Amino acid sequence: METALTSPMKPVAKSLVLLLRVAQSLLVIGALLLLLIGGLFLIPNGPMASVIDGLATEGATPPSSGSLAFAFIASAITAAAWFVVLHILVKIVRTVQVGDPFIEANIARLRAMWIIIAGTEVFRMVVHSAADLAMAGTSVSAADTGLDIRIGTWFLVLVIAVLSEAFRHGAAMRREQELTI
């Protein structure tokens, strides 16, 4: 028998799973395209040579094909990490559909999510800083080579970390309740 609390959630959870699957599909397509374009930049005198020449501005040297390939491949790695985050989120939503979200597996899933997001953000910051420093000799001014910290992403990491602890506390309360007669 469904309670008033779980019955309205199921259609929302189903819609959310569908939306997450669509987002995952888009991430896969995007990551594959990024890898393909990154690979094309690695081919000497290949199809992307004219793109590199078009990026050159007056008086500045164009970026190297290797640095552009690195940027595209790093972006594909970031997309793959976000795919994993969405996959974990689908598993969590599935437990909500069943009506049992406060399980040990979800605690581990939430912890994995915030660790992956934090790692991806550190990776992005390192890659962008390295790219900025590599470009510093060309047309990038010294003011553009700072560390790019995205407060919104770190806030998301904090929220998910707090949620994982809330789920841990909920699971502990549930265990205590099951022990009482």
Side-chain angles (χ1 to χ4, degrees), residues 7 9 12 14 50 59 65 81 84 97 110 116 118 131 134 160 169 181:
S7 61
M9 183 61 81
V12 173
K14 285 182 182 180
S50 62
S65 61
V84 172
Q97 279 180 312
L110 285 167
I116 291 169
I160 296 173
H169 185 66
I181 298 176

Side-chain angles (χ1 to χ4, degrees), residues 145-171:
T145 60
L147 190 61
D148 179 25
I149 298 174
R150 295 183 178 169
I151 300 298
T153 304
W154 290 109
F155 182 74
L156 176 65
V157 167
L158 179 65
V159 167
I160 296 173
V162 168
L163 270 175
S164 73
E165 287 306 304
F167 269 62
R168 185 190 59 77
H169 185 66

Side-chain angles (χ1 to χ4, degrees), residues 55 60-64 67-68 128-141 145:
L55 291 173
T61 57
S64 70
S67 64
L68 289 173
H128 281 240
S129 294
D132 286 347
L133 290 174
M135 295 292 292
T138 59
S139 63
V140 177
S141 68
T145 60

Side-chain angles (χ1 to χ4, degrees), residues 5-149:
L5 185 61
T6 59
S7 61
M9 183 61 81
K10 289 189 179 186
V12 173
K14 285 182 182 180
S15 299
L16 188 56
V17 168
L18 178 65
L19 182 64
L20 290 170
R21 294 292 187 201
V22 168
Q24 281 182 307
S25 300
L26 292 174
L27 280 170
V28 167
I29 292 167
L32 291 174
L33 284 173
L34 288 167
L35 284 174
L36 176 67
I37 294 169
L40 289 174
F41 275 117
L42 291 176
I43 299 171
N45 297 323
M48 298 308 234
S50 62
V51 173
I52 294 171
D53 293 337
L55 291 173
T57 58
E58 288 184 34
T61 57
S64 70
S65 61
S67 64
L68 289 173
F70 176 72
F72 278 97
I73 293 170
S75 297
I77 292 169
T78 301
W82 280 102
F83 175 86
V84 172
V85 168
L86 292 180
H87 180 70
I88 293 169
L89 193 55
V90 166
K91 289 181 178 181
I92 293 171
V93 172
R94 294 260 186 226
T95 63
V96 171
Q97 279 180 312
V98 174
D100 195 16
F102 295 105
I103 59 174
E104 296 294 326
N106 279 351
I107 299 165
R109 290 173 182 147
L110 285 167
R111 285 182 181 157
M113 273 178 62
W114 75 257
I115 290 169
I116 291 169
I117 294 170
T120 302
E121 184 62 10
V122 168
F123 174 75
R124 186 200 60 78
M125 289 171 23
V126 168
V127 166
H128 281 240
S129 294
D132 286 347
L133 290 174
M135 295 292 292
T138 59
S139 63
V140 177
S141 68
D144 293 336
T145 60
L147 190 61
D148 179 25
I149 298 174

